[in-house]
Amino acid sequence: MARLLITGAGGPAGGSLGRQLQGTPHAVVGVDMEPLSLDAEARFDRTYVVPAATSPDFLPRLRDLVRREAIAVVIPTVQEELPILAGVADLVGARVVISPSEAVWRAQDKLITAWALEQSGVPTPRTCALVSSSEGGDHAVPSPPMAFPFIVKPRTSRGGRGVTVVDSAAEWTREVLERPGQVVQEFADGAEYAVQVYVPSGGDDVTSVVLEKTTLKQGRVGNAEAVRRVSPEEDADVAAVATDAVLALGLRGPLDVDVRRDGRGAPVVLEVNARFGANSAYAPELLARLLEEWNMTGADPGST
């Protein structure tokens, strides 16, 4: 039996892992910025409130809990924590399920991700920075960098937060003035997928499970409100492009890759999350592989 600590225990990804680990011999501690609901708390053996990742108290609090609870493995699921923990993984006091620091940093920034994928030949929509120039203190609105519609989104964010489809010049002007420093990306209007990927430490024998997002929170974009698992034969090209993306970035462990089909029906990689995704319960192979690789094999983690 191992003692595990999962961050973001009240969120979709952390809560999903808590549910999957119920019924296994492992003791699971959940931590979050806010107190958990009774339902969420029931998924863990013990829960704690911790500061935000951006707080100087975050790492000291985490180290204290690792020591107090005799934690063997930390599984981070909060996006903002990833580059911090990747940089100090050897100082936490437990093994941390995280990719190498450089790979995490590249995946964290959506503009850098697009540059890296393009350089490696992995298909991704055309992506550029939203920059407004200024003369005499007045912001100058540049011409739209590509044909409408296109996406404007934060360079770093969680899930679908802040993603907007821009359909007109008026909307473009508003986005430039209100959201400088964002990312502009071609809008691939085909089916969208959340590909659940596991890359072992050696980088061989990658597991890729394709989940189609059947309903999106904001209609054309946003988090998935419903998904369905597709057969390996049905969308093999989607699995292949997601695998190419994570290997190109040098990522390891559990990963969540957003892929869409473009106007020609070809899959393109939108972004990569260097952690378990919100829908990993539909791909229990990922957690099973982690437990096996890290010598924590017990009862099989549950699926949806």
Side-chain angles (χ1 to χ4, degrees):
M1 180 188 80
R3 295 186 65 80
L4 312 178
L5 184 148
I6 296 173
T7 73
S16 176
L17 286 175
R19 284 192 299 270
Q20 292 177 70
L21 285 162
Q22 288 180 322
T24 71
H26 307 298
V28 184
V29 174
V31 302
D32 200 278
M33 288 173 51
E34 303 289 343
L36 271 60
S37 67
L38 291 178
D39 178 60
E41 192 170 9
R43 301 166 193 160
F44 301 92
D45 295 285
R46 197 166 298 175
T47 62
Y48 295 93
V49 174
V50 297
T54 53
S55 167
D57 296 327
F58 170 69
L59 284 173
R61 172 66 166 157
L62 186 65
R63 276 172 52 96
D64 177 66
L65 289 175
V66 165
R67 182 174 58 253
R68 184 190 312 177
E69 290 288 342
I71 298 297
V73 176
V74 174
I75 306 178
T77 72
V78 179
Q79 202 74 15
E80 293 86 347
E81 296 171 351
L82 301 182
I84 297 170
L85 289 174
V88 297
D90 60 331
L91 304 177
V92 171
R95 300 169 76 188
V96 182
V97 179
I98 198 151
S99 293
S101 184
E102 180 180 341
V104 169
W105 186 85
R106 291 188 176 206
Q108 188 81 353
D109 187 313
K110 295 175 175 60
L111 182 61
I112 302 301
T113 298
W115 289 350
L117 295 181
E118 182 179 9
Q119 182 172 294
S120 299
V122 178
T124 186
R126 181 185 168 205
T127 306
C128 59
L130 191 167
V131 180
S132 60
S133 60
S134 61
E135 265 185 48
D138 294 326
H139 288 287
V141 178
S143 299
M146 56 192 72
F148 299 113
F150 52 77
I151 296 291
V152 174
K153 60 184 179 181
R155 284 181 61 169
T156 60
S157 67
R158 281 193 252 173
R161 291 173 175 82
V163 179
T164 303
V165 181
V166 177
D167 290 298
S168 67
E171 293 177 2
W172 165 244
T173 299
R174 184 178 67 245
E175 293 297 327
V176 171
L177 295 178
E178 294 182 1
R179 296 169 59 181
Q182 306 285 299
V183 166
V184 182
Q185 188 172 72
E186 286 181 325
F187 180 47
D189 60 359
E192 184 167 345
Y193 307 87
V195 188
Q196 309 301 290
V197 183
Y198 190 86
V199 183
S201 57
D204 300 321
D205 190 23
V206 177
T207 296
S208 295
V209 177
V210 179
L211 307 177
E212 182 180 0
K213 299 181 180 182
T214 55
T215 307
L216 297 175
K217 190 172 183 178
Q218 296 167 236
R220 289 190 288 173
V221 294
N223 289 336
E225 290 194 327
V227 300
R228 74 175 183 93
R229 178 168 171 151
V230 304
S231 67
E233 300 79 16
E234 186 176 350
D235 289 292
D237 56 345
V238 173
V241 78
T243 299
D244 289 345
V246 300
L247 293 179
L249 293 170
L251 294 165
R252 295 293 183 266
L255 310 161
D256 180 38
V257 185
D258 285 339
V259 177
R260 271 204 185 223
R261 292 194 182 276
D262 63 16
R264 299 175 293 109
V268 291
V269 177
L270 306 182
E271 56 190 69
V272 181
N273 298 303
R275 55 173 173 77
F276 276 105
N279 297 295
S280 68
Y282 290 86
E285 298 96 323
L286 269 66
L287 182 54
R289 289 208 64 181
L290 171 65
L291 296 179
E292 180 181 9
E293 182 179 11
W294 290 44
N295 298 317
M296 297 183 290
T297 306
D300 289 337
S303 60
T304 302

